[in-house]
Amino acid sequence: MFDSHYLPLINGEFTAFTEETFPATDATTGERLAVITRSGAAEVDAAVAAAKAAFPAWSATPAAERAKLLLKVADWLEENTERLVRIDAHDIGRTVFELPQDYRQAIGQYRFFASAISTHDGWNNVTPGGWAIAKREPLGVVGAIIPWNVPAIMVSFKLAPALAAGNTVVLKPDENASLSTLELAKYLAEIFPAGVVNVVPGFGEEAGAALTGNPDVAKLAFTGSTEVGRIIAHAGASRLVPVTLELGGKSPNIVFPDIDDIDAVVDNVTFAATFCNGQSCLAGTRLFLHDDIYDTFMEKLVTAFRSIRVGSPLDPETRLGSVVSPKQGERVLKYIETGKAEAKLITGGERVEVPGHEAGWFIAPTIFETTNDSTIAQEEIFGPVLSVIRWNDFDTMIEQANDIRYGLASGVYTSNLRNAMRTADRLQAGQVWVNQYVNLVDGSPFGGYKESGLGREVAKETLDAYTQLKSVMLAEQVPPPFYV
Ligand code: NAI
Ligand code: MG
């Protein structure tokens, strides 16, 4: 299933200057799956130079031709989904039950941007005696850095809009989740002209820093922690290149007492907090539960959390696998210890052993009863840990829901239209889901308020961030000076 050694993709070739490697390990068995070249500044600089050289021809390629290749990527991903899902399941511990949805989402992005670009090519209008044309031009080399939680989706969020718009790309996958991206790279190398897409696996402080610091990178696109997002934003600021950031979240999920199907809402809220093994920036991790239904709802919620099947990510019946690495597992457990000291543990709160997968960090689905000002309610944990907060006064609840440094997503459950509308209106979040969660539709903008980021992905507006406007004025003949 795996090659023994994966190399960076630079200028259409799998090649490196260094012999240094790092291992890709199975998240639940600890087994070495492959080794990956540890890209440094030499690989990154060569990749950026290749992307720079490929840019003039690629940006001059008709959008329809570029779109054709993106549609091929989508088809290839569709044909290879099953294989790539198994690769991710081994590499990052996510379940084979859930991962196919990542691929559907990613496939949708390639197809969406292949179409959207055809409607985005500037506009023109007639001025007296001439034309004013606002022409959209690609920026150049895009440096993209992505995290480990949803690799297929992250690659698509960066590659699809950047390439559709005519940019060339140097992509750095995360050191914990490079394998499915490097498998995809083999196909990208087959179909794209050399240098258009380059992939440089490696570590943040090495390959990542070399990419953000390279003077030939014309735009930075990042998804990951707010802390590293700030470093990327500084790098962009110092060279005056645009930056888009999709960062952390601690999203409120708000339940009104007027819901008419309590079991459906319990299922939805459970999923919102535990999908992706809790490692999602848009997870609904702060549950605002109304006083009037608190006890009934909580009882059902605890039952739902306890019935989540934890196990091998490769077992189709498993609903919760392991978090990505020992480092992430320890981080989650540390938050759980903080929670035990400052809040009331309702269920979970421990590492679970799965026979045959002793190296995995499986965390029991965990519920705390707490207040919005506690550490576990304020900080992004990135594990299956839910903070439940009781509410009864609407204004106070909204104030608390917004009392957080993040603003990525949110959920509202109600059968009352007025409650839905006034809540959606007042939440400081880039995404509000009403009576649903985690539904990212191709074309609907996704991105954060406040410290959750800058810019929007998934939508037509995303193409604005991968292009710049040039104003071209044409006159039929040279007019006298200062004419209006
Ligand atoms: P991270 O932000 O350190 O890693 C994300 C990417 O940034 C990786 O590709 C990494 O190699 C790169 N990177 C790290 N330092 C860099 C630097 N100095 N220059 C350039 N690139 C750099 O996130 P990490 O440490 O994996 O996770 C820590 C926490 O971040 C998680 O517990 C979670 O709270 C949050 N996170 C949020 C994500 C999101 O989707 N918004 C995704 C991953 C993590
Ligand atoms: Mg791994």
Side-chain angles (χ1 to χ4, degrees):
M1 180 163 28
F2 302 102
D3 295 353
S4 55
H5 183 176
Y6 288 90
L7 287 150
L9 170 60
I10 301 171
N11 204 24
E13 307 278 340
F14 290 93
T15 172
F17 304 99
T18 178
E19 310 246 297
E20 275 195 64
T21 60
F22 64 100
T25 44
D26 187 299
T28 71
T29 64
E31 191 189 324
R32 172 173 293 204
L33 300 169
V35 296
I36 299 171
T37 292
R38 180 169 175 159
S39 307
E43 287 75 21
V44 170
D45 292 351
V48 174
K52 190 181 177 188
F55 177 66
W58 178 247
S59 58
T61 303
E65 289 298 314
R66 297 197 300 256
K68 250 193 223 169
L69 297 185
L70 293 177
L71 294 173
K72 280 190 170 187
V73 175
D75 290 347
W76 185 87
L77 284 170
E78 212 159 50
E79 283 155 25
N80 287 275
T81 294
E82 215 179 297
R83 182 168 73 85
L84 296 167
V85 158
R86 292 186 74 78
I87 288 174
D88 283 337
H90 280 288
D91 195 13
I92 61 176
R94 298 263 317 281
T95 64
V96 295
F97 171 74
E98 190 177 272
L99 280 161
Q101 178 56 27
D102 285 40
Y103 282 86
R104 283 191 286 275
Q105 182 93 45
I107 290 160
Q109 283 291 291
Y110 294 103
R111 292 190 177 140
F112 173 78
F113 282 109
S115 317
I117 192 60
S118 66
T119 66
H120 198 255
D121 232 9
W123 49 265
N124 58 47
N125 64 1
V126 186
T127 61
W131 292 71
I133 301 168
K135 187 171 175 283
R136 286 214 170 262
E137 294 188 348
L139 296 165
V141 179
V142 172
I145 298 177
I146 55 170
W148 41 263
N149 53 343
V150 285
I153 295 176
M154 288 296 112
V155 173
S156 75
F157 278 19
K158 305 303 185 228
L159 287 192
L163 295 173
N167 300 282
T168 53
V169 181
V170 178
L171 171 76
K172 193 198 85 64
D174 191 281
E175 50 271 36
N176 294 290
S178 305
L179 293 182
S180 59
T181 307
L182 290 165
E183 284 288 331
L184 170 66
K186 295 182 197 169
Y187 183 65
L188 300 177
E190 255 175 52
I191 65 165
F192 282 93
V196 170
V197 196
N198 305 271
V199 181
V200 284
F203 288 79
E205 297 76 11
E206 295 168 10
L211 187 55
T212 54
N214 188 301
D216 285 327
V217 171
K219 180 208 162 54
L220 293 167
F222 173 76
T223 300
S225 64
T226 294
E227 290 59 39
V228 176
R230 241 183 269 282
I231 296 174
I232 307 285
H234 277 292
S238 68
R239 293 199 291 106
L240 291 176
V241 301
V243 173
T244 43
L245 304 170
E246 198 264 280
L247 309 174
K250 191 76 185 182
S251 300
N253 211 358
I254 299 162
V255 181
F256 280 80
D258 59 41
I259 49 169
D260 46 31
D261 186 347
I262 191 164
D263 293 321
V265 178
V266 166
D267 282 352
N268 230 265
V269 161
T270 302
F271 180 72
T274 58
F275 78 100
C276 217
N277 306 332
Q279 307 162 117
S280 169
C281 51
L282 43 74
T285 45
R286 288 183 299 146
L287 179 66
F288 286 88
L289 194 50
H290 194 275
D291 229 358
D292 289 354
I293 53 163
Y294 194 95
D295 294 335
T296 321
F297 195 103
M298 190 62 127
E299 202 185 309
K300 287 174 181 283
L301 187 66
V302 170
T303 306
F305 264 58
R306 288 190 180 147
S307 61
I308 293 174
R309 183 148 164 184
V310 182
S312 161
L314 293 154
D315 178 346
E317 299 303 317
T318 296
R319 294 296 175 267
L320 195 99
S322 83
V323 299
V324 71
S325 62
K327 183 179 153 214
Q328 190 61 20
E330 278 159 17
R331 182 188 159 101
V332 174
L333 277 195
K334 200 162 156 238
Y335 273 114
I336 288 176
E337 287 317 307
T338 304
K340 285 177 181 166
E342 66 176 5
K344 187 174 168 202
L345 177 68
I346 305 293
T347 187
E350 67 205 353
R351 183 177 174 185
V352 180
E353 287 253 325
V354 173
H357 300 269
E358 283 75 13
W361 283 76
F362 300 88
I363 312 286
T366 299
I367 300 175
F368 283 105
E369 207 167 46
T370 185
T371 51
N372 190 57
D373 56 1
S374 64
T375 305
I376 51 163
Q378 287 289 314
E379 295 186 13
E380 185 174 55
I381 298 174
F382 244 51
V385 182
L386 177 65
S387 292
V388 183
I389 300 156
R390 190 187 289 264
W391 73 280
N392 46 49
D393 174 66
F394 177 76
D395 288 320
T396 311
M397 179 275 292
I398 290 288
E399 207 173 285
Q400 291 185 359
N402 287 332
D403 186 11
I404 190 93
R405 70 179 175 129
Y406 298 115
L408 191 55
S410 57
V412 183
Y413 299 85
T414 177
S415 57
N416 177 310
L417 185 61
R418 184 164 166 265
N419 283 339
M421 290 180 73
R422 64 185 180 147
T423 308
D425 217 35
R426 287 178 60 183
L427 285 174
Q428 296 165 354
Q431 179 85 50
V432 185
W433 282 295
V434 178
N435 293 329
Q436 58 187 311
Y437 211 92
V438 212
N439 188 8
L440 280 187
V441 177
D442 293 322
S444 76
F446 169 66
Y449 279 33
K450 303 196 281 192
E451 292 183 36
S452 287
L454 291 174
R456 296 292 178 269
E457 299 188 287
V458 186
K460 190 171 180 307
E461 290 76 3
T462 308
L463 293 170
D464 292 346
Y466 285 93
T467 51
Q468 56 190 333
L469 276 172
K470 176 184 279 175
S471 207
V472 182
M473 304 275 186
L474 293 118
E476 283 167 14
Q477 56 182 49
V478 181
F482 305 119
Y483 84 112
V484 245

